[in-house]
Amino acid sequence: MKKYNLFKLLFLLLFAASSCKSQNNNTSDKKIYSFKKGDDNGIGKWYLDREIAYVMGYEGINWLERPSREKEENTSKLIKNMNIQPTDIIADIGAGSGYHVFKMAPLANKGAVYAVDIQPEMLQAILYSKEYQTNKNIELIQGDEKNVNLPENTFDKVLMVDVYHEFNFPKEMIASIKKSLKKNGKIYLIEYRMEDPSIAIKKIHKMSEKQAVKEMKAAGFKLEKNIDNLPIQHCMVFTMNTES
């Protein structure tokens, strides 16, 4: 059963401002995060020595759907890296307009793909697409800045493509994702490689393997492998660290 219908989506669009919580520099945040001026494209909020980037708004949908994306990022190889099985339950966090969702859904045809985004305009784009009507195993979920709003102990795989570095509350978000994973579930963290200065992406929208491992380790995950076959991105696979 679809989690979204047109009436609900229109309601969320009308009240988008209230459904997406604003950044809150309260006392508890300051124990986890620090606040100082940094990159012009950053929000001035830092987590484990990394400044958080501004979220790309729904106005960037055309960039997400650009015809050159397959050539630039080899998204087909990324999907192969995930080794998707027909019965897999997958969550795409920060799904945007559904670019990867629509590639995964036919492969997990006996399972489900949950498209999670905090922007109802992004979910609207998925809802109105012909691929959404064709693939009956896609669920649309409205998340917020601290919670992915997914059922616990459910997911075999979680995909995050160039979105983690934009989380306003990365510690809380990863904790929420961790609850949603099965014990043997995997996180596929895809980020533009900080280690390569030739990649024409703003520095704040890149992440090094070292930084990713540092932050995921703090959340109770370990790096299983970094699949080094994408042109400009890390494909880092994390699993729960049962020894911690």
Side-chain angles (χ1 to χ4, degrees), residues 216-243:
M216 296 299 287
K217 182 180 179 181
F221 288 91
K222 62 181 178 181
L223 181 66
E224 180 181 90
K225 56 186 172 180
N226 188 350
I227 306 173
D228 188 22
N229 62 1
L230 301 183
I232 56 178
Q233 295 158 304
H234 289 297
C235 181
M236 297 174 282
V237 185
F238 288 91
T239 57
M240 291 188 200
N241 188 357
T242 56
E243 297 176 0

Side-chain angles (χ1 to χ4, degrees), residues 59-242:
E59 297 87 353
I61 282 179
N62 287 340
W63 188 78
L64 295 176
E65 298 292 339
R66 65 194 186 279
S68 61
R69 188 169 185 181
E70 171 62 31
K71 181 179 180 180
E72 293 166 0
E73 299 181 3
N74 203 336
T75 52
S76 296
K77 187 166 285 186
L78 164 59
I79 299 302
K80 288 182 180 178
N81 287 347
M82 294 180 68
N83 190 29
I84 295 172
Q85 302 301 305
T87 57
D88 275 348
I89 309 297
I90 306 168
D92 186 350
I93 311 299
S97 54
Y99 185 86
H100 294 92
V101 169
F102 298 137
K103 294 177 181 293
M104 296 186 290
L107 300 175
N109 52 37
K110 295 180 181 178
V113 178
Y114 285 62
V116 183
D117 210 282
I118 67 171
Q119 299 181 76
E121 295 88 352
M122 292 293 197
L123 299 176
Q124 181 187 40
I126 297 175
L127 179 68
Y128 287 156
S129 68
K130 63 180 180 180
E131 289 91 348
Y132 179 76
Q133 303 303 325
T134 301
N135 295 283
K136 305 300 182 182
N137 60 335
I138 299 173
E139 307 284 1
L140 304 184
I141 301 294
Q142 174 82 31
D144 62 46
E145 288 186 330
K146 293 186 177 181
N147 198 319
V148 290
N149 292 333
L150 292 172
E152 294 186 9
N153 191 30
T154 298
F155 293 88
D156 300 289
K157 298 177 173 81
V158 166
L159 176 65
M160 290 185 282
V161 178
D162 304 322
V163 67
Y164 173 76
H165 65 273
E166 297 179 352
F167 288 168
N168 262 1
F169 295 90
K171 179 179 175 65
E172 292 84 351
M173 284 291 282
I174 294 301
S176 175
I177 291 169
K178 187 176 183 180
K179 288 180 181 179
S180 76
L181 277 171
K182 294 178 181 176
K183 186 176 181 180
N184 61 345
K186 299 178 185 290
I187 290 178
Y188 289 79
L189 182 62
I190 316 303
E191 292 283 349
Y192 293 112
R193 294 196 296 271
M194 177 72 79
E195 296 88 341
D196 188 349
S198 70
I199 296 171
I201 296 291
K202 292 176 181 177
K203 185 177 180 181
I204 199 166
H205 289 285
K206 297 179 180 181
M207 182 171 284
S208 68
E209 177 184 314
K210 181 179 179 180
Q211 183 67 29
V213 169
K214 179 180 181 180
E215 296 187 26
M216 296 299 287
K217 182 180 179 181
F221 288 91
K222 62 181 178 181
L223 181 66
E224 180 181 90
K225 56 186 172 180
N226 188 350
I227 306 173
D228 188 22
N229 62 1
L230 301 183
I232 56 178
Q233 295 158 304
H234 289 297
C235 181
M236 297 174 282
V237 185
F238 288 91
T239 57
M240 291 188 200
N241 188 357
T242 56

